[in-house]
């Protein structure tokens, strides 16, 4: 990989603990694979429980100092971190594409979005106000103050490794917290490159620590440690439930962004071209490997056939290949198991009556590629209606009435993202308020931004990232009751 980079020092093959690059205690390593080619990109440490405990201790020691650093100084370092990301974006894009697979254009968009969190939270922390509370009785004055929660455990996913870490790190560090980060084993180089840039930005030793290796070993130390006061996790609902149970004995605060099953509702009065463009942007970004991508297309019968024709035209035009190659719009899935799972969902749908209009099988490009696929005739009995696809497969289901659309959309245990396209203002309000989801995109599919809260309900998790709410999730409200005022 170094030959691809202008700054080879961004490629780090060691864990980052207390400001130092180091191997695992026992020297063990894990390979990192390019999903497009199967090429071995290198290795990272398989950190031990002792390594994890050392990182937690470093974060605890750093917290005692970092929480007292003036807000303007914290903000200046965060802004510099974001600037360094933008200055090195070409190298960061190559690292992301090589280990994750997404096309370079998508990698650039992800990295720029990640960088946007640093200046925003650098400013927002200056507005983390407390209150002077009206006195409940004579002689007292209640005051509140926001204080950092403490050491935070962070577990990030492989599908957006260069934006998920900044979305968690920026508000936490702005608030005065310190971090112990476990990136996904498939994409550790993105996190390690960001850690290197944090060092160059002047973030002190111990404020951010990055551990690579087995999720079970590192996660166990994070969840069991009484020093770690909060866990922020993005990943599957199954793992999120287990982490929540593991955190219960130490009563950690939790931010869990978990699985999704997003409905994409298109009403007869929608602007067709906008709906098709939104469908492409939502469904096929990162080859469909996003927690908020459209999972079920619910299209009103009057516009159904025209929508299908428009979407098929777009699907047929996709170019599948290595994300480093010019013109590629769909990269590989993360591994061969992901391809098998996606194909299993497609074959189940076909066996239960779905109609195949495009794709429908693994791609000839290699074992980690899947053909962009379009299915019609989706029904509730198909697995693809219930399960998160996480692949480049669009399944379409017709509906007749507004009430039917809402019923179909809410018929799931998940509640992360949802989308609707309509030009009827009354309908937009009614349906948006009826959808049981943490986020509703209305004639737009770009939900994530530093300024807006991101998160779900039901089995899609708890807590919010981004916005003022995301900052508050890393702080506690403390009450100071001042007595003797009238004496």
């Amino acid at each position: 990989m170094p030959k691809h980079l202008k700054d080879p020092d961004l490629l780090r093959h060691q864990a980052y603990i207390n400001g130092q690059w180091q191997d695992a205690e026992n020297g063990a390593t894990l390979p990192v694979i390019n999903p497009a080619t199967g090429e071995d990109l290198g290795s990272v440490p398989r950190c031990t429980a002792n390594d994890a405990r050392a990182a937690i201790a470093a974060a605890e020691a750093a917290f005692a100092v970092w929480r007292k650093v003036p807000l303007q100084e914290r903000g200046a370092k965060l802004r510099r971190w974001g600037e360094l990301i933008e200055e090195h974006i070409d190298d960061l894009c190559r690292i992301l594409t090589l280990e994750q697979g997404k096309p370079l254009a998508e990698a650039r968009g992800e990295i720029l979005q990640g960088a946007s969190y640093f200046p925003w939270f650098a400013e927002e922390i200056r507005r983390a106000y407390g209150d002077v509370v009206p006195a409940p009785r004579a002689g007292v004055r209640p005051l509140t103050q926001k204080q950092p929660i403490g050491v935070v455990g962070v577990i990030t996913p492989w599908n957006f490794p260069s934006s998920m870490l900044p979305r968690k790190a920026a508000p936490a560090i702005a608030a005065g917290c310190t971090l112990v980060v476990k990136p996904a084993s498939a994409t550790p180089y993105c996190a390690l490159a960001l850690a290197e840039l944090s060092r160059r930005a002047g973030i002190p030793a111990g404020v951010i620590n990055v551990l690579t290796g087995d999720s079970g070993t590192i996660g166990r130390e994070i969840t069991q440690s009484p020093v770690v006061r909060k866990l922020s996790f993005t990943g599957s609902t199954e793992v999120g439930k287990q982490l929540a149970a593991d955190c219960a004995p130490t009563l950690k605060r939790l931010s869990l962004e978990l699985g999704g099953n997003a409905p994409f509702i298109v009403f007869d009065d929608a602007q067709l071209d906008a709906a098709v463009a939104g469908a492409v942007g939502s469904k096929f970004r990162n080859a469909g490997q996003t927690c908020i991508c459209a999972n079920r297309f619910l299209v009103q019968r009057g516009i159904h056939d025209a929508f299908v024709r428009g979407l098929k035209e777009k699907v047929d035009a996709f170019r599948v290949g290595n994300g480093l190659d010019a013109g590629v719009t769909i990269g590989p899935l993360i591994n061969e198991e992901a391809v098998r799972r996606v194909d299993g969902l497609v074959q189940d749908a076909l066996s239960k009556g779905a109609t195949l209009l495009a794709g429908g099988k693994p791609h000839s490009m290699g074992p980690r590629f899947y053909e962009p696929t379009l299915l019609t005739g989706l029904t509730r009995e198909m697995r693809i209606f219930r399960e998160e696809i996480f692949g480049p497969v669009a399944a379409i289901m017709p509906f007749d009435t507004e009430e039917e659309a809402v019923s179909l959309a809410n018929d799931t245990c998940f509640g992360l993202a949802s989308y609707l396209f309509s030009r009827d203002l009354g309908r937009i309000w009614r349906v948006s308020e009826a959808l049981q989801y943490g986020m509703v995109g209305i004639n737009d599919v770009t939900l994530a931004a530093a300024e807006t809260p991101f998160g779900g309900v039901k089995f899609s998790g708890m807590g919010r990232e981004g916005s003022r709410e995301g900052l508050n999730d890393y702080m506690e409200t403390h009450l100071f009751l001042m007595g003797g005022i009238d004496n």
Side-chain angles (χ1 to χ4, degrees):
M1 190 191 288
K3 67 180 182 291
H4 296 284
L5 304 180
K6 300 174 186 176
D7 184 350
D9 286 342
L10 288 177
L11 183 64
R12 291 289 179 172
H13 297 275
Q14 295 175 298
Y16 187 63
I17 302 174
N18 201 24
Q20 300 295 318
W21 297 104
Q22 61 185 65
D23 296 326
E25 177 192 39
N26 59 7
T29 62
L30 287 172
V32 183
I33 305 298
N34 181 338
T37 65
E39 173 191 9
D40 190 338
L41 297 173
S43 64
V44 292
R46 189 191 295 265
C47 290
T48 67
N50 283 339
D51 295 324
R53 285 191 284 269
I56 292 170
E60 181 182 25
F63 175 64
V65 178
W66 182 247
R67 66 179 301 178
K68 298 177 183 177
V69 172
L71 300 181
Q72 291 86 344
E73 185 177 338
R74 282 189 232 153
K77 294 182 187 302
L78 285 173
R79 281 191 293 271
R80 182 56 185 150
W81 194 359
E83 290 167 359
L84 286 169
I85 290 171
E86 295 188 15
E87 290 171 15
H88 292 85
I89 190 166
D90 289 340
D91 281 348
L92 295 174
C93 284
R94 286 191 167 273
I95 292 172
L96 174 53
T97 294
L98 282 164
E99 69 173 352
Q100 200 278 333
K102 66 184 59 177
L104 281 172
E106 289 191 18
R108 180 173 292 270
E110 176 185 341
I111 290 164
L112 288 175
Q113 183 192 54
S116 72
Y117 291 101
F118 293 104
W120 197 86
F121 281 107
E123 291 301 317
E124 188 64 14
I125 188 60
R126 299 174 69 177
R127 290 177 284 277
Y129 300 117
D131 292 301
V132 178
V133 182
R137 61 183 187 276
V140 300
R141 298 293 186 275
L143 311 172
T144 65
Q145 183 186 72
K146 298 289 182 64
Q147 295 184 4
I149 196 168
V151 177
V152 177
V154 169
I155 301 176
T156 57
W158 53 262
N159 56 341
F160 288 92
S162 295
S163 60
M164 293 299 97
L165 179 53
R167 193 161 77 186
K168 299 172 188 295
I173 292 175
C177 299
T178 56
L179 306 180
V180 177
V181 178
K182 166 60 178 76
S185 294
T187 55
Y189 289 136
C190 291
L192 295 172
L194 290 172
E196 167 62 18
L197 293 179
S198 78
R199 184 190 64 80
R200 298 182 191 182
I203 303 294
V207 171
I208 179 168
N209 304 271
V210 180
L211 298 164
T212 57
D214 296 327
S215 297
T217 300
I218 298 169
R220 191 176 305 111
E221 293 301 321
I222 290 174
T223 57
Q224 292 181 356
S225 172
V227 171
V228 178
R229 296 309 314 144
K230 173 183 168 73
L231 174 68
S232 178
F233 168 75
T234 298
S236 72
T237 296
E238 180 183 9
V239 174
K241 288 180 179 180
Q242 184 60 58
L243 288 170
D246 293 343
C247 287
T250 52
L251 289 179
K252 298 185 196 327
R253 182 182 293 183
L254 297 173
S255 290
L256 302 175
E257 192 235 301
L258 308 177
N261 188 7
F264 190 105
I265 308 171
V266 184
F267 288 98
D268 284 348
D269 58 68
Q271 206 288 319
L272 180 61
D273 290 343
V276 170
V280 171
S282 173
K283 173 71 261 183
F284 293 98
R285 184 167 62 116
N286 197 22
Q289 299 172 114
T290 84
C291 55
I292 62 170
C293 75
N295 213 61
R296 298 166 294 151
F297 287 91
L298 310 176
V299 183
Q300 199 160 19
R301 207 169 295 276
I303 203 173
H304 176 273
D305 291 351
F307 178 84
V308 170
R309 286 193 298 270
L311 186 55
K312 184 178 187 306
E313 181 180 336
K314 299 293 185 182
V315 170
D316 289 342
F318 285 134
R319 182 182 171 193
V320 178
N322 188 324
L324 293 177
D325 294 341
V328 166
T329 51
I330 301 287
L333 301 190
I334 192 63
N335 53 39
E336 294 176 31
E337 174 57 33
V339 172
R340 287 191 291 271
R341 185 180 180 281
V342 169
D343 192 53
L345 292 172
V346 171
Q347 300 312 315
D348 173 79
L350 293 174
S351 73
K352 295 173 180 174
T355 299
L356 180 66
L357 298 184
K361 63 183 184 299
H363 200 282
S364 59
M365 277 291 301
R368 298 178 185 87
F369 291 86
Y370 200 83
E371 293 180 349
T373 297
L374 181 60
L375 300 170
T376 58
L378 175 67
T379 68
R380 294 177 193 254
E381 291 70 37
M382 298 171 185
R383 287 175 54 203
I384 210 165
F385 185 90
R386 301 285 176 192
E387 300 179 28
E388 192 170 25
I389 301 170
F390 244 60
V393 179
I396 302 174
M397 182 178 193
F399 70 88
D400 292 302
T401 67
E402 181 179 309
E403 293 75 19
E404 182 185 3
V406 171
S407 175
L408 289 167
N410 288 339
D411 186 14
T412 176
C413 63
F414 297 102
L416 186 57
S418 58
Y419 306 93
L420 72 93
F421 278 72
S422 173
R423 287 180 286 185
D424 182 324
L425 186 58
R427 168 177 282 159
I428 287 171
W429 274 109
R430 291 191 303 273
V431 174
S432 297
E433 292 178 346
L435 289 172
Q436 298 167 5
Y437 291 83
M439 299 175 285
V440 183
I442 303 161
N443 297 320
D444 197 295
V445 298
T446 309
L447 295 176
E451 298 85 353
T452 56
F454 190 102
V457 299
K458 301 195 290 187
F459 277 25
S460 289
M462 61 184 72
R464 293 295 181 268
E465 295 183 325
S467 80
R468 176 179 57 191
E469 293 188 36
L471 182 62
N472 286 337
D473 264 3
Y474 290 95
M475 296 187 291
E476 301 276 19
T477 299
H478 289 254
L479 168 69
F480 305 118
L481 182 68
M482 302 175 64
I485 300 299
D486 296 337
N487 295 336

